[in-house]
Amino acid sequence: MARFGRRDTAPELALRRELHRRGRRFFVDRPVSKRCRVRPDLVFPRARIAVFVDGCFWH
């Protein structure tokens, strides 16, 4: 598990590429609040949407 990066995984990059191609703008790996310890993969602050891109648990 230590070899897997926290960000810039293949599924995340593919999603970011497609969203950017469609003209969507977002923040990457940005904290959403000071009380929350998690950092979503993509954040759309105006829409108040946080996206978590999870891969396969076993692979």
Side-chain angles (χ1 to χ4, degrees), residues 10-57:
E12 185 181 339
L13 290 174
L15 177 62
R16 286 173 20 197
R17 233 179 272 120
E18 182 61 26
L19 288 171
H20 196 270
R21 186 183 71 77
R22 293 181 182 210
R24 304 290 186 228
R25 298 301 179 250
F26 47 85
F27 291 99
V28 177
D29 195 36
R30 181 180 186 187
V32 290
S33 76
K34 294 181 181 187
R35 295 182 356 201
C36 186
R37 293 184 349 194
V38 298
R39 294 171 68 108
D41 296 316
L42 303 174
V43 178
F44 298 90
R46 288 187 182 174
R48 298 182 59 128
I49 295 174
V51 178
F52 294 88
V53 180
D54 295 328
C56 177
F57 178 77

